[in-house]
Amino acid sequence: MKIISKRLKSLSIITIVSLSTLSLLADERSDEITKLYTATFERIPDKTGLEFWIDSNLSIDEIASSFFDQNETKEKYPEDAPTSDFVDSIYQNLFDRSSDDEGLNYWSSAIEQKRVERSKFILAVINGAQGSDEEILNEKEDISKEYLNRLPYDKNDAESVMEIYHEEGHKRALDLIVNLDEHEAEHESERERLESRLNSVTLTPEEKDQVIKEHTKHGIDSAEKLLNNFEKNTQNGDDNGHGESDNNSSSIANHGGSSNHSSSSSHSSSSSHGGSSSHGGSSSHGGSSSHSGSGR
């Protein structure tokens, strides 16, 4: 019986250690993919997408490459856009700064000459992060994990949290997540009321998006104030348009309604309201602080 008991105890210990190891591996994989979302899309990952990639049998290299098959990536980084813009965008997404000239030229040239894939470049920059760059990346990862642990995914709310991080810092972003969690029902009720108003006014999609995010970041009063300002500007624009139309009508009447003035364009008014070894980890460019994530 003692032998059996010892064996069972050993099996229990092995099981606990195995489960603990699996949990650590899952956390590490989640962290890698979260950083990949940050680098490629500059956003908190949606829970469904994150879980899909975690459960897939793909390596992190394969996942990074697969990101470039996604419509979101193709829209964010058009093929006809300069490669240097893409490289600089990744640095901005990860570290809130531009790449230095040497790193920008190196990576742009490597990508254009097909020496490195865009997805490999992203992983090299992530893995090479040092100093303040690493600190910023870790803070963004921390914010993503806290958001996903506390809240159901909402695109506007997730984007608002990251905007607050950029504007006011790490602590303020975490505080906002806690506030959204603790006042979730109230937040949703206010959002519904706000969206009802937005559906009844004529604003651009960008203006409506700003109002929704203002609510998330600074509350309903601030959002309604912004909405009122947008409405006022729209009304002023309409008034100016009518005044111009009246002046045109008078001009037409004064000229006897001739075809030279009645519909002329000169009297109308329109408004147009996802590592190269050479820079990611090799002795020539990579592991050095001069060319990976820290400075380039």
Side-chain angles (χ1 to χ4, degrees):
M1 289 295 292
K2 288 183 178 181
I3 294 175
I4 294 175
S5 178
K6 287 182 179 180
R7 286 180 177 175
L8 288 174
K9 186 178 291 186
S10 297
L11 286 172
S12 297
I13 293 171
I14 292 171
T15 300
I16 291 171
V17 171
S18 298
L19 290 174
S20 177
T21 301
L22 287 173
S23 178
L24 287 172
L25 290 173
D27 287 345
E28 182 180 339
R29 184 169 171 82
S30 175
D31 291 349
E32 288 178 330
I33 297 170
T34 297
K35 289 176 180 177
L36 198 54
Y37 267 92
T38 299
T40 311
F41 304 125
E42 195 187 15
R43 68 172 174 86
I44 296 171
D46 58 285
K47 193 170 294 187
T48 302
L50 180 62
E51 290 175 349
F52 171 83
W53 294 113
I54 290 173
D55 293 340
S56 73
N57 293 320
L58 300 176
S59 67
I60 192 66
D61 287 46
E62 291 171 324
I63 293 172
S65 181
S66 296
F67 271 25
F68 281 85
D69 296 328
Q70 311 301 314
N71 289 332
E72 183 178 359
T73 317
K74 293 175 182 177
E75 291 173 5
K76 192 172 181 67
Y77 308 111
E79 290 185 5
D80 57 351
T83 304
S84 58
D85 287 358
F86 166 73
V87 171
D88 203 56
S89 291
I90 300 305
Y91 275 84
Q92 291 285 359
N93 294 350
L94 285 167
F95 311 128
D96 294 343
R97 67 170 179 85
S98 297
S99 170
D100 63 282
D101 291 340
E102 187 178 354
L104 182 64
N105 292 333
Y106 173 84
W107 285 115
S108 297
S109 175
I111 292 170
E112 288 171 354
Q113 294 174 15
K114 310 296 184 184
R115 291 187 284 112
V116 60
E117 298 175 6
R118 293 189 172 204
S119 59
K120 300 283 188 184
F121 151 68
I122 290 177
L123 291 174
V125 177
I126 291 173
N127 293 330
Q130 300 177 38
S132 60
D133 286 346
E134 184 177 19
E135 182 180 350
I136 289 171
L137 182 54
N138 287 339
E139 286 179 349
K140 290 184 176 183
E141 180 189 346
D142 185 39
I143 290 167
S144 292
K145 291 165 74 172
E146 186 70 9
Y147 182 97
L148 292 173
N149 284 336
R150 281 182 171 269
L151 298 167
Y153 187 81
D154 176 273
K155 182 176 182 293
N156 281 302
D157 286 352
E159 290 177 354
S160 297
V161 167
M162 274 305 180
E163 287 180 10
I164 281 290
Y165 170 73
H166 294 138
E167 296 164 6
E168 302 181 36
H170 181 226
K171 182 179 184 303
R172 175 71 173 87
L174 293 177
D175 288 345
L176 177 58
I177 292 170
V178 172
N179 183 66
L180 290 172
D181 181 29
E182 293 179 349
H183 301 90
E184 185 177 356
E186 182 181 353
H187 179 69
E188 288 303 315
S189 176
E190 292 172 348
R191 169 76 70 85
E192 289 177 6
R193 190 171 82 231
L194 201 57
E195 288 179 339
S196 178
R197 274 196 66 190
L198 287 170
N199 290 332
S200 66
V201 298
T202 304
L203 299 180
T204 66
E206 292 77 13
E207 289 171 336
K208 291 182 177 181
D209 189 54
Q210 285 183 51
V211 171
I212 292 296
K213 288 182 178 179
E214 185 66 19
H215 170 232
T216 299
K217 294 191 289 186
H218 300 118
I220 188 65
D221 291 342
S222 183
E224 289 183 333
K225 182 178 180 180
L226 180 61
L227 175 52
N228 290 336
N229 288 337
F230 282 147
E231 282 188 286
K232 187 182 296 183
N233 292 338
T234 301
Q235 290 168 359
N236 289 339
D238 289 343
D239 290 342
N240 291 336
H242 287 311
E244 189 170 333
S245 175
D246 292 341
N247 290 335
N248 292 339
S249 298
S250 298
S251 177
I252 292 169
N254 291 336
H255 286 83
S258 78
S259 60
N260 290 333
H261 295 277
S262 60
S263 300
S264 165
S265 60
S266 62
H267 287 78
S268 65
S269 171
S270 71
S271 56
S272 52
H273 300 17
S276 149
S277 59
S278 58
H279 237 61
S282 90
S283 57
S284 57
H285 293 283
S288 78
S289 61
S290 59
H291 283 297
S292 54
S294 75
R296 307 323 196 234

